[in-house]
Amino acid sequence: RAPWARLGYFLAHLAVLVLAIGGVLTGFMGFRGVLHLPDGEGLNAVWVPQTDGGYARALPFMIENNGFTLTTFPDGTPSSFT
């Protein structure tokens, strides 16, 4: 076998470990929030729901909605959105 074949094996397994560690860190340090963003508006906070109601959490950036179009099939399921 070529000497670089072992390097590919090592890098592939290292990548899987990095993804797994990232998932664990996100689970412990991340959060889930709700954001209702009408067309043409921007927000820099999300609502974090909890059993006692929840709270607004500020974000270090602004999220803007410059337009949203949803196309559906006749049964109402989304076919595309832009």
Side-chain angles (χ1 to χ4, degrees):
R1 289 188 167 181
W4 58 84
R6 289 182 191 245
L7 179 63
Y9 176 83
F10 174 76
L11 290 177
H13 285 83
L14 180 64
V16 171
L17 287 175
V18 167
L19 288 173
I21 290 169
V24 169
L25 289 176
T26 298
F28 284 118
M29 297 175 17
F31 67 94
R32 290 180 184 245
V34 179
L35 178 67
H36 297 284
L37 191 58
D39 282 345
E41 293 189 18
L43 293 172
N44 63 348
V46 296
W47 181 255
V48 180
Q50 292 183 335
T51 55
D52 63 347
Y55 62 95
R57 180 170 177 163
L59 298 173
F61 51 87
M62 176 74 76
I63 299 174
E64 295 181 1
N65 181 357
N66 295 324
F68 183 82
T69 304
L70 175 65
T71 307
T72 61
F73 291 112
D75 67 352
T77 58
S79 63
S80 70
F81 47 90
T82 57

